[in-house]
């Protein structure tokens, strides 16, 4: 059986652990968390299940990821660490270490691909590795697959709602909340990234747009995507727009040239205006036709399940 | 440069020929039509361009496909022959001959996969061949990619409008046409298969549903898909339903158990109700979430372009 390590063990990591136990096609030999490394020594399935249920109990060791790789020589790493868009670390070092040591990767973290898609993928290709990243965009809805299925086509533009948290905040404001009370409410519900700027300043949507564009062979980097803050609008304007039969949405866009994340008035008959709850929506303009994909993004269990789709592809290719 | 042959040379084949000339990464060495074989001997790009523009001029030979393969040893075949759902021939023999002789395939024809998905794909895998079939469902919209991106998920059902011709007939009837005059009109416009039963008796939609299900690892065959004829309803019922705020649609469905193509009343707020022109729409129910893909199906140039996406994938894998 192939051997795997888990890098990161939050909600998505734990959900993935249970899916991997039930799939039973890759033996997990170690779990790396911010608190240390748990080595699974005897019955990996029950030990991993315990970790997923009882974390952070169990014996952990302080050990470097490179030492761990050299000790275990895993075939694949499952990466579910938090994003780090400001300087990319430790995420970029982790990806580079894994790839340089010929470890295949399945990730839900966007950082590496949002910052260094081309250079990482070049090394992946040279080393003939598998790099699965279905979970990075609209986790649970195959947006990456749609982008791959449009390669070589004449892409004229993209418009998308790619961040469910800010979309929910806008709908709360439409229904009467102040912007601040709406933000407080989504925080209470646990829907915001630990660093709220990731959602509210558009980093998350920009990272996803960048990954989609790179998948379509359009080189892109989160740092060149213009981001307007969600807070750059007042409540009255949002509600007035709704009364006029349109909706303000926080849109990630590419117009064939410019790339950005901004607040935009959307006509009510557009699919983008109708996105609600945990749903996302992406419109591709290809040869002046519109291809539309809508579906849920998350929760953690959906993210984990889309990583299992990556696992199936990895196991078949290998 | 890789060498390719084209099997079939109708509208899609000709559009594909022009795309392959402009891509210039696979040399086309022969074009097989129902009228004979054209061998491209000197400047393949200009000879193929002439064939695409001036067909059926040029020198053709009567030669068996197996002899042709043995003479040229092509790397890949581009199949754009008409469907043959009743007995599968000559399509199935062509696929089997190609695969048995280690020729990679990119096809827009649904026949082989609708009738023999499992056995063909098993041989493809054993021979380590590439078999691209993005163009077989919603040609131009990545429905196959979405299905691949949902592998391993808990698929509870599918509902789809997969045949634009019958969808257009229904909308004409809604606007006042009789069923017969609507059919005559789409025939005039050249939108119906040479054998109208392919569209109107649901073979086309059933073939597409079958390919989608197989892609999702649900074994399926066009012959086990129950087909209701489009004619199994009268004009009054279609218009009465519209007046009641719903629409009759010709729906391909899978409910987790039963598979079929039938006439169904669809609520107006469903994406399925809003599909018009050459657009198709497919709803996947996954873990009780709905993932929706809408986009154009055809015309020939879109079908050809989705085969070019297959080419890019083939060239990278090889």
């Amino acid at each position: 059986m192939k051997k795997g390590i888990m890098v990161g063990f939050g909600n998505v990591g734990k959900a993935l652990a249970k899916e991997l136990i039930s799939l039973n096609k890759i033996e997990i030999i170690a779990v790396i968390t911010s608190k240390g490394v748990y080595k699974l020594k005897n019955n990996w399935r029950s030990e991993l299940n315990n970790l997923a249920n009882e974390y952070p109990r169990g014996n952990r060791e302080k050990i470097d990821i490179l030492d761990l790789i050299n000790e275990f020589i895993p075939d694949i790493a499952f990466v579910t660490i938090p994003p780090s868009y400001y300087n990319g670390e430790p995420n970029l070092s982790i990806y580079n270490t894994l790839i340089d040591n010929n470890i295949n990767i399945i990730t839900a973290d966007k950082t590496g691909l949002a910052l260094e898609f081309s250079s990482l993928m070049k090394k992946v290709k040279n080393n003939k590795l598998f790099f699965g990243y279905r979970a990075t965009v609209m986790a649970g809805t195959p947006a990456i697959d749609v982008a791959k299925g449009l390669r070589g086509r004449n892409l004229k533009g993209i418009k998308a709602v790619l961040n469910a948290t800010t979309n929910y905040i806008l709908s709360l404001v439409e229904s009467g909340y102040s912007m601040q009370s709406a933000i407080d409410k989504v925080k209470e519900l646990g829907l915001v990234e630990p660093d709220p700027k990731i959602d509210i300043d558009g980093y998350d949507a920009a990272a996803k747009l960048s990954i989609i564009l790179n998948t379509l062979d359009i080189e892109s980097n989160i740092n060149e995507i213009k981001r307007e803050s969600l807070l750059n609008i007042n409540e009255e304007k949002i509600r007035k727009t709704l009364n006029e039969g349109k909706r303000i949405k926080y849109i990630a866009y590419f117009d064939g040239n410019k790339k950005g994340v901004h607040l935009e008035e959307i006509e009510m008959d557009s699919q983008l205006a109708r996105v609600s709850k945990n749903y996302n929506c992406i419109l591709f303009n290809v040869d002046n036709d519109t291809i539309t994909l809508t579906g849920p993004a998350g929760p953690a269990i959906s993210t984990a399940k889309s990583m299992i789709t990556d696992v199936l592809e990895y196991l078949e290719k290998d």
Side-chain angles (χ1 to χ4, degrees), chain A:
Chain A
M1 207 187 301
K2 301 263 181 209
K3 291 187 194 320
I5 58 173
M6 301 191 73
V7 183
F9 207 60
N11 289 337
V12 172
K14 288 177 198 172
L16 177 61
K18 298 202 169 186
E19 294 292 323
L20 287 168
I21 291 166
S22 125
L23 186 71
N24 201 22
K25 289 189 174 164
I26 295 175
E27 180 187 349
I28 300 302
I29 49 181
V31 175
I32 306 177
T33 76
S34 53
K35 300 211 169 58
V37 174
Y38 298 85
K39 295 181 184 172
L40 309 177
K41 284 162 186 169
N42 303 307
N43 184 333
W44 72 273
R45 297 176 68 194
S46 70
E47 286 177 45
L48 184 59
N49 192 48
N50 287 343
L51 270 188
N53 288 328
E54 303 177 21
Y55 177 82
R57 288 184 209 168
N59 293 313
R60 57 179 187 257
E61 298 176 29
K62 280 284 174 200
I63 171 174
D64 184 73
I65 188 167
L66 192 54
D67 292 336
L68 189 80
I69 288 172
N70 287 330
E71 181 180 342
F72 285 109
I73 317 175
D75 299 292
I76 187 162
F78 298 93
V79 180
T80 57
I81 52 180
S84 169
Y85 299 122
Y86 308 134
N87 66 11
E89 293 300 340
N91 308 40
L92 283 172
S93 296
I94 290 173
Y95 289 113
N96 280 303
T97 302
L98 291 168
I99 295 169
D100 293 340
N101 287 277
N102 283 307
I103 318 288
N104 299 284
I105 294 172
I106 290 176
T107 187
D109 162 49
K110 287 171 277 294
T111 310
L113 298 182
L115 287 165
E116 300 278 355
F117 193 101
S118 302
S119 61
L120 289 176
M121 283 308 188
K122 197 174 168 184
K123 288 203 294 181
V124 162
K125 205 177 168 183
N126 286 341
N127 293 6
K128 295 195 187 338
L129 296 174
F130 179 84
F131 194 114
Y133 61 99
R134 281 193 171 88
T136 59
V137 181
M138 287 174 76
T141 297
I144 297 298
D145 294 273
V146 169
K148 284 189 181 171
L150 292 173
R151 288 185 61 210
R153 303 286 292 278
N154 182 12
L155 180 76
K156 302 208 165 177
I158 288 175
K159 274 197 186 192
V161 172
L162 292 177
N163 180 275
T165 301
T166 47
N167 195 51
Y168 188 45
I169 291 170
L170 288 173
S171 69
L172 287 173
V173 172
E174 284 178 341
S175 71
Y177 281 71
S178 70
M179 186 63 89
Q180 190 52 56
S181 59
I183 292 172
D184 291 344
K185 170 148 182 158
V186 297
K187 276 187 190 167
E188 261 174 53
L189 295 170
L191 299 177
V192 184
E193 292 278 346
D195 174 0
K197 289 163 67 71
I198 299 291
D199 292 316
I200 288 163
D201 284 351
Y203 288 95
D204 177 73
K208 290 166 178 167
L209 177 65
S210 191
I211 294 172
I212 288 277
L213 287 170
N214 279 299
T215 302
L216 282 153
D217 302 320
I218 297 166
E219 274 204 41
S220 179
N221 178 307
I222 187 173
N223 291 322
E224 50 158 26
I225 293 178
K226 199 175 164 187
R227 291 172 294 95
E228 178 185 20
S229 167
L230 183 75
L231 305 180
N232 199 25
I233 193 168
N234 65 47
E235 295 89 343
E236 289 317 307
K237 171 70 179 163
I238 293 169
R239 290 191 278 261
K240 184 164 162 279
T241 305
L242 184 64
N243 287 336
E244 289 166 353
K246 290 183 276 192
R247 299 186 81 175
I248 299 283
K249 290 290 183 183
Y250 199 42
I251 299 289
Y253 67 90
F254 168 66
D255 68 1
N257 177 28
K258 291 195 291 292
K259 307 158 188 168
V261 178
H262 68 182
L263 292 150
E264 183 175 339
E265 284 185 20
I266 301 288
E267 300 290 335
M268 205 59 95
D269 63 356
S270 165
Q271 279 298 300
L272 292 171
R274 295 198 205 103
V275 183
S276 66
K277 296 186 298 182
N278 62 329
Y279 275 51
N280 282 187
C281 174
I282 182 162
L283 272 56
F284 297 88
N285 181 333
V286 176
D287 297 315
N288 294 324
D289 276 317
T290 303
I291 292 166
T292 310
L293 178 72
T294 61
I301 180 65
S302 296
T303 310
K305 283 184 173 174
S306 69
M307 297 176 84
I308 294 295
T309 305
D310 283 335
V311 172
L312 298 180
E313 188 182 340
Y314 161 68
L315 290 173
E316 279 189 358
K317 286 201 176 166
D318 216 59

